[in-house]
Amino acid sequence: MQLEKINIVIVDDHPIVIEGLKMMLKNHSFFNILETFTSGSEILNFVKSNEVDIILLDITLPDANGIELCREIKKISSNTSVIMFSNRSERSIIMQSIQNGASGYLLKNTSIDELIECVKGALSGNIVFCNETKLIISKPSQNELTIPRLTKREKEILQLVAQGKTSAVIAEELFLSPLTVDTHRKNLLQKFNAKNSTELVTIASQNHMIEI
């Protein structure tokens, strides 16, 4: 029985990656590479007028963040399965991609057999990962294991610290004394086991506790 063609689009800012994927996939007759792009704006325009089954999408693009781009693609074409294809191996990035509608996450050292298996799985409605990604998401980072509980006031101050505001400015905005703000900041550093405000903001951002 003739297998129905799987229409694939590749989005990556490195032409050598695109060519490598095309060479690997051309040996499998059920793949039809519709188009390849090196920027985010191009793929958004393409999915508006073309039926795409699978998009292999890099995260780092010259004009867009692939994770945000994934969400925009799904708004335009909910039936298109987007599989992130990246060198980024941070657990927080993997999970954020899935939250934004990705059907899977593959690292660029994924074998062709894994890639094909994951594409088929995504088309069946599954969330797919290469073996290395499965290991990453099965082991939460130390920061994720120790997410502290914050009071409403601590959350407010944490968000303002993330915006780079000083204790004096925060105190003025929240109608508090600078001493009270400093006390809250010290408590936040202790709760997050952070050495300074930069590390505090980094940990909080990784755990999606603040908006940057």
Side-chain angles (χ1 to χ4, degrees):
M1 186 175 69
Q2 181 80 22
L3 286 173
E4 189 173 342
K5 292 274 190 179
I6 299 170
N7 291 325
I8 290 187
V9 170
I10 302 169
V11 186
D12 196 292
D13 64 336
H14 291 97
I16 193 169
V17 173
I18 291 176
E19 290 305 313
L21 282 170
K22 286 169 67 175
M23 285 185 64
M24 287 192 295
L25 295 175
K26 74 177 183 180
N27 296 323
H28 301 270
S29 58
F30 48 88
F31 284 124
N32 176 37
I33 299 177
L34 284 179
E35 190 58 86
T36 64
F37 299 106
T38 57
S39 73
S41 58
E42 293 176 309
I43 182 59
L44 285 178
N45 290 329
F46 188 80
V47 294
K48 288 176 183 176
S49 54
N50 293 273
E51 188 173 327
V52 183
D53 297 316
I54 293 282
I55 296 175
L56 294 177
L57 177 62
D58 193 10
I59 287 178
T60 306
L61 296 168
D63 63 339
N65 178 305
I67 298 174
E68 297 302 321
L69 190 60
C70 173
R71 183 166 55 187
E72 296 304 312
I73 291 169
K74 295 298 288 187
K75 286 180 183 177
I76 297 169
S77 179
S78 59
N79 292 328
T80 298
S81 295
V82 180
I83 298 178
M84 309 309 292
F85 191 69
S86 175
N87 284 322
R88 301 290 298 273
S89 59
E90 298 95 322
R91 187 178 189 275
S92 59
I93 288 178
I94 297 169
M95 302 313 294
Q96 190 179 351
S97 298
I98 302 305
Q99 290 168 4
N100 274 23
S103 295
Y105 198 103
L106 307 181
L107 297 178
K108 286 187 177 178
N109 60 0
T110 298
S111 69
I112 182 62
D113 291 335
E114 272 190 307
L115 191 153
I116 291 172
E117 183 180 341
C118 287
V119 166
K120 291 179 178 178
L123 289 174
S124 298
N126 299 320
I127 303 295
V128 296
F129 303 103
C130 63
N131 289 332
E132 191 171 338
T133 306
K134 288 177 184 176
L135 288 175
I136 294 167
I137 62 175
S138 70
K139 297 176 181 178
S141 69
Q142 189 61 36
N143 290 341
E144 289 174 309
L145 291 171
T146 57
I147 298 174
R149 287 181 175 274
L150 303 182
T151 66
K152 182 180 179 181
R153 181 64 79 192
E154 285 172 338
K155 290 177 182 177
E156 289 176 332
I157 291 175
L158 176 59
Q159 183 62 56
L160 293 172
V161 169
Q163 294 171 11
K165 295 183 178 180
T166 64
S167 292
V169 172
I170 294 172
E172 187 176 345
E173 287 192 19
L174 299 181
F175 304 103
L176 299 171
S177 72
L179 181 60
T180 299
V181 173
D182 281 336
T183 299
H184 280 303
R185 292 182 74 141
K186 288 175 183 176
N187 289 339
L188 285 167
L189 290 173
Q190 289 179 348
K191 284 189 174 185
F192 282 89
N193 194 27
K195 299 181 184 68
N196 50 49
S197 294
T198 301
E199 188 174 346
L200 169 66
V201 171
T202 299
I203 296 171
S205 176
Q206 288 174 346
N207 289 286
H208 311 294
M209 299 180 74
I210 53 175
E211 297 178 6
I212 298 181

